Amino acid sequence: MMPDLEPDDFALASRSGLPDELCGLLRRFPREVWPERSGLGDWSQFWLERHDIFRQLSDALQDGCRHLLDRNVDAERFRQWALPRLDMYVGHLDLHHQIEEFHIFPAFAAIEPSLQRGYALLEADHGVIHPRLPALHAAGEMLARLDPGDRIAVERITSSLLGDLATLAPELTRHLDDEEDLLIPVVLAHGESALHLH
């Protein structure tokens, strides 16, 4: 059971990083040394790659929406490009967070219980991010149903989608960065095999 948090503790819109009391291991294992450490095995590399994919999809989808709205691409080409990427972004992000909550965070809590408040912070982040996902999913469904010849309707939905993506992007980036800053130092301190995540 994760500890309760005060609302300000998970305000993604205003947080600039992890609370100082959660950064002890990060000070021992700062990001600069991560590529040099042998403790980052297959699981860590895979998990970090998934985070990079979410960042890349977020940026690419926003750029794609802007290209459509600037009339640099036709509506049908945009739909064929955007819909599978949007589906991957929303669906994989939801699954990724479920796996973290049910498997990854408990494994880390077992090996480094002193960071319970940090795991709770990350779970609270999920509670901020997830209510934003249905709007993205709905926009994708509307785009899929629209007649691509109805440029005005396509642009209206795309403009709304871009707004939702732009709102989520800084929150998701903050969450991914803080999650890595909390968990990767635990891996480096204890070794990946101690977490039984293979």
Side-chain angles (χ1 to χ4, degrees):
M1 185 69 158
M2 297 295 178
D4 291 332
L5 293 168
E6 295 300 318
D8 285 349
D9 288 336
F10 55 88
L12 276 175
S14 58
R15 196 166 84 225
S16 60
L18 290 171
D20 188 65
E21 63 269 23
L22 297 176
C23 294
L25 284 176
L26 181 61
R27 285 188 285 271
R28 280 179 55 198
F29 302 104
R31 281 180 175 264
E32 307 85 77
V33 306
W34 295 1
E36 305 166 9
R37 303 293 302 197
S38 59
L40 290 184
D42 291 343
W43 177 84
S44 300
Q45 298 294 347
F46 173 79
W47 184 73
L48 289 169
E49 286 167 7
R50 300 309 292 179
H51 279 198
D52 285 341
I53 287 171
F54 294 134
R55 293 181 180 103
Q56 291 161 11
L57 282 171
S58 176
D59 291 343
L61 284 164
Q62 290 177 81
D63 287 344
C65 288
R66 292 187 190 102
H67 279 298
L68 184 280
L69 295 171
D70 290 340
R71 302 200 167 194
N72 294 325
V73 62
D74 69 73
E76 183 56 25
R77 185 177 174 194
F78 169 73
R79 291 199 316 173
Q80 291 177 3
W81 176 89
L83 290 174
R85 287 166 176 80
L86 184 61
D87 185 62
M88 180 180 182
Y89 183 62
V90 174
H92 286 219
L93 187 58
D94 180 60
L95 177 61
H96 183 77
H97 284 174
Q98 288 183 47
I99 292 169
E100 286 177 340
E101 290 181 13
F102 288 103
H103 300 287
I104 295 173
F105 294 164
F108 277 79
I111 200 72
E112 192 62 65
S114 66
L115 296 178
Q116 285 283 357
R117 185 168 177 266
Y119 312 130
L121 183 74
L122 299 176
E123 282 197 21
D125 288 352
H126 293 176
V128 174
I129 292 166
H130 276 261
R132 304 204 185 282
L133 300 183
L136 302 180
H137 178 72
E141 289 191 328
M142 286 187 281
L143 277 175
R145 290 196 302 266
L146 283 175
D147 176 358
D150 188 350
R151 181 83 193 199
I152 292 174
V154 172
E155 288 182 357
R156 176 174 50 81
I157 297 302
T158 302
S159 179
S160 176
L161 173 61
L162 177 57
D164 290 335
L165 287 165
T167 297
L168 175 58
E171 295 176 342
L172 181 61
T173 297
R174 175 78 274 145
H175 168 69
L176 295 175
D177 289 351
D178 289 351
E179 194 167 63
E180 292 166 5
D181 285 345
L182 190 78
L183 300 190
I184 292 299
V186 175
V187 175
L188 294 173
H190 295 279
E192 197 167 283
S193 60
L195 292 158
H196 306 292
L197 290 170
H198 301 287

